[in-house]
Amino acid sequence: MRMSSDGFVHVSDVLRGSLEGERVRLRGWVHRIRKQKKMVFVLLRDPSGVVQTVIKRGVVSDEEYSAATKMLVESLVALEGTVKADARAVGGYEVQVDHLDVLHFAEEFPITENQSVEFLNDNRHLWIRSRKMTNVLKVRDEVFRAAREYLRQNGFYETTSPMFVSTMGEEGAELFEVDYFGRKVFLTQTGQMHLEPQLFALERVFTLAPSFRGEKSRTRKHLTEFWHLEVEEAWCDHDANIRRQEELITHMCHSVVKNRAAELDELGVDPERLLRIGPPFDRMTYEDAIEECQRRGLDIEWGQDIRTEAEHVLTQDRDTFLIVEFYPKEIKSFYMKHNDADPRTYKNNDMLAPQGYGEVIGGSQREDDAQRLIENLLRIGDDPEKYRWYIDLRRYGSVEHSGFGVGVDRLITWMLGLEHIRECVPFPRTVSRIYP
Ligand code: 4AD
Ligand code: MG
């Protein structure tokens, strides 16, 4: 009998084919069950896949057979049997069972076919085990892993930033207030401002953590709690920052194809979608982007932000990322580096996903001149005193540096062509949902 150290193999081991004719032990959940007079067909599920198993009266004991007939979907079972090639079975193999042990008889499972989105969201704790969610979560895992791999290989240290903050990090994005022993503090919108001080110790740093935004946007790309991959690099200017973004995103896309091909296939995603991503990405200035939007009939002017509609116009026909650079100061944050070539703008960039999936990265070279930083704050009516510690960084060995933040959930949403960002998060938090 073939077995791993705990005596069980995984479904994927069976489907690989090399165990044909061998006896195996499997355990998992009943994904589907079909009962005939003398036979019970169980589609058995574990994290690695589903496989057909056949339980025949007379082959297993009478007690075992009787138990098998009583199982409902999602019952937990351990079984032993022989692997046989079978062209009619999903995956091409089935297991002919000779022993089984029902470890837990499930009650009637509330999720059946064709449930409404609302119902599935209310039952997220159970929907998690669907094939779709299982595959999405495995891709998500790979995205996190690949990001860390790329950054580590390139000399970045993984570090952390606080979630409770006393100052705002991004203008425009709304803050969640928290009562902190009677004081008003906020949940962080970005780890950037606490990442920057750390590059004076480590030069290259990143965090992978949640960010919180109290925007009341009910769109398919907004969460109130999203996962933010933030990178900050010393000795790095605007162009080098963009190259870093391109390389990181490319590595993440290609790693998903390399390590999650089966999941992509089951999710119906063409690997070409990700394989065609490679540097350099398409790139245009904000100014050109506005002109293109105008040419395409949008009512938009220089100085206005590139929002959903404009993003759509700019990216709907693209199948690779678009970098838009040099946005006006009015619509971006005070910490960005002044652009001498066009003093109305900062040295910043956004990265827009193809096909209207929206902004996946916001980044910039950072202002390393204390006086300019203070002027920027005064211009927007903020109090430089509140940012004293942040301005301090520009007083002691101020170094040219840049960074960016990737909206990881948004990136995955585009990678998999999902309808809504919540589909790629285990327990999504949106304006209208905080349960389960
Ligand atoms: O463009 P943002 O606001 O940039 C920053 O926060 C910078 N401080 C990051 C940095 O330079 N370290 O946010 C970065 C990205 C966006 O491009 C978007 O992909 C994602 O975070 N994002 C959201 N994702 C899901 N739901 C939301 N409500 C999001 N808000 C931003
Ligand atoms: Mg942004």
Side-chain angles (χ1 to χ4, degrees):
M1 169 144 27
R2 249 347 147 80
M3 51 175 78
S4 58
S5 56
D6 57 6
F8 291 92
V9 297
H10 270 116
V11 165
S12 57
D13 300 323
V14 171
L15 298 181
R16 215 168 283 130
S18 55
L19 297 180
E20 206 199 330
E22 301 216 28
R23 295 197 68 237
V24 294
R25 263 191 205 151
L26 285 168
R27 60 184 166 189
W29 291 264
V30 174
H31 191 58
R32 303 243 188 290
I33 183 162
R34 194 154 49 87
K35 296 163 190 173
Q36 294 183 349
K37 259 212 182 98
K38 293 180 174 162
M39 255 189 259
V40 177
F41 290 95
V42 169
L43 208 53
L44 185 80
R45 188 190 78 240
D46 73 10
S48 72
V50 293
V51 66
Q52 174 165 298
T53 66
V54 198
I55 302 158
K56 279 193 190 143
R57 191 204 290 267
V59 175
V60 297
S61 74
D62 288 351
E63 298 79 60
E64 287 174 337
Y65 191 76
S66 158
T69 61
K70 294 198 186 88
M71 288 198 297
L72 299 178
V73 161
E74 294 304 321
S75 292
L76 184 69
V77 62
L79 45 81
E80 237 175 272
T82 308
V83 178
K84 287 271 148 60
D86 185 339
R88 293 163 303 175
V90 268
Y93 292 89
E94 72 171 21
V95 177
Q96 300 183 338
V97 177
D98 45 48
H99 282 298
L100 77 132
D101 187 4
V102 181
L103 303 171
H104 185 254
F105 286 99
E107 296 174 33
E108 185 116 27
F109 198 57
I111 300 180
T112 53
E113 310 243 339
N114 305 322
Q115 302 278 8
S116 71
V117 170
E118 200 56 20
F119 182 85
L120 295 180
N121 290 341
D122 283 340
N123 287 282
R124 190 66 168 196
H125 53 298
L126 303 176
W127 179 238
I128 284 285
R129 40 176 107 177
S130 64
R131 290 300 298 154
K132 177 169 179 179
M133 282 307 300
T134 303
N135 285 320
V136 167
L137 292 179
K138 285 162 82 175
V139 169
R140 188 176 171 92
D141 159 74
E142 177 59 19
V143 166
F144 278 56
R145 192 202 64 78
R148 290 191 159 108
E149 177 179 76
Y150 170 84
L151 289 164
R152 231 167 251 282
Q153 281 173 354
N154 284 278
F156 285 82
Y157 292 92
E158 180 162 4
T159 181
T160 57
S161 286
M163 297 290 113
F164 291 129
V165 293
S166 56
T167 46
M168 135 182 122
E170 286 301 310
E171 295 147 56
E174 285 180 42
L175 292 158
F176 281 109
E177 279 181 27
V178 184
D179 175 18
Y180 194 79
F181 309 113
R183 275 181 63 196
K184 196 170 83 177
V185 303
F186 311 105
L187 291 179
T188 190
Q189 301 157 303
T190 165
Q192 178 197 328
M193 301 191 75
H194 293 87
L195 211 46
E196 283 180 68
Q198 303 189 59
L199 63 78
F200 288 80
L202 299 167
E203 286 191 352
R204 291 179 178 183
V205 286
F206 74 98
T207 63
L208 184 42
S211 280
F212 304 89
R213 306 268 168 118
E215 299 161 291
K216 292 221 171 69
S217 317
R218 288 170 202 274
T219 72
R220 62 195 196 104
K221 54 184 195 196
H222 283 92
L223 295 167
T224 50
E225 176 186 303
F226 69 95
W227 278 75
H228 207 170
L229 171 62
E230 301 197 77
V231 177
E232 207 63 37
E233 184 170 1
W235 315 107
C236 178
D237 67 5
H238 174 76
D239 285 321
N241 191 38
I242 287 176
R243 281 199 296 280
R244 184 66 76 200
Q245 295 166 41
E246 291 169 338
E247 281 186 18
L248 170 65
I249 295 295
T250 300
H251 184 79
M252 291 162 87
C253 289
H254 291 187
S255 293
V256 166
V257 176
K258 189 170 157 217
N259 297 316
R260 293 289 183 259
E263 288 76 9
L264 289 180
D265 185 52
E266 212 175 322
L267 288 165
V269 179
D270 179 1
E272 250 324 291
R273 182 185 179 88
L274 303 176
L275 286 176
R276 72 164 70 90
I277 302 303
F281 294 176
D282 294 343
R283 191 158 158 179
M284 63 167 72
T285 62
Y286 165 86
E287 183 152 22
D288 288 345
I290 293 295
E291 278 171 21
E292 178 163 337
C293 288
Q294 289 168 340
R295 265 200 308 281
R296 305 250 212 134
L298 266 196
D299 182 20
I300 192 170
E301 281 172 26
W302 198 98
Q304 286 178 296
D305 206 353
I306 296 183
R307 295 192 188 281
T308 301
E309 211 188 350
E311 278 174 357
H312 202 86
V313 164
L314 292 170
T315 64
Q316 61 190 353
D317 300 327
R318 292 176 194 274
D319 50 17
T320 174
F321 292 91
L322 173 66
I323 285 167
V324 180
E325 58 188 345
F326 308 130
Y327 285 71
K329 290 181 173 173
E330 298 96 277
I331 54 171
K332 290 291 177 188
S333 296
F334 72 92
Y335 55 70
M336 296 180 177
K337 177 87 180 158
H338 172 78
N339 182 16
D340 277 327
D342 180 354
R344 302 171 301 168
T345 68
Y346 287 129
K347 287 188 174 180
N348 62 356
N349 77 279
D350 281 357
M351 186 188 291
L352 309 182
Q355 299 120 9
Y357 277 81
E359 179 197 321
V360 291
I361 289 186
S364 66
Q365 187 171 332
R366 313 307 191 192
E367 184 53 77
D368 43 29
D369 182 85
Q371 201 45 46
R372 270 209 201 275
L373 213 47
I374 292 167
E375 284 162 18
N376 289 349
L377 281 164
L378 292 174
R379 198 179 60 244
I380 60 169
D382 213 332
D383 177 10
E385 186 49 33
K386 281 195 302 188
Y387 295 89
R388 190 162 38 83
W389 66 272
Y390 185 71
I391 298 165
D392 253 1
L393 306 177
R394 281 73 181 166
R395 298 192 201 281
Y396 309 104
S398 190
V399 63
E400 179 174 88
H401 68 284
S402 301
F404 57 92
V406 185
V408 177
D409 317 281
R410 257 191 218 169
L411 178 65
I412 299 169
T413 304
W414 168 76
M415 282 179 164
L416 300 178
L418 300 173
E419 286 286 313
H420 196 291
I421 192 167
R422 69 173 159 244
E423 291 175 43
C424 75
V425 187
F427 291 98
R429 296 299 180 232
T430 61
V431 180
S432 53
R433 181 163 296 276
I434 197 94
Y435 174 94

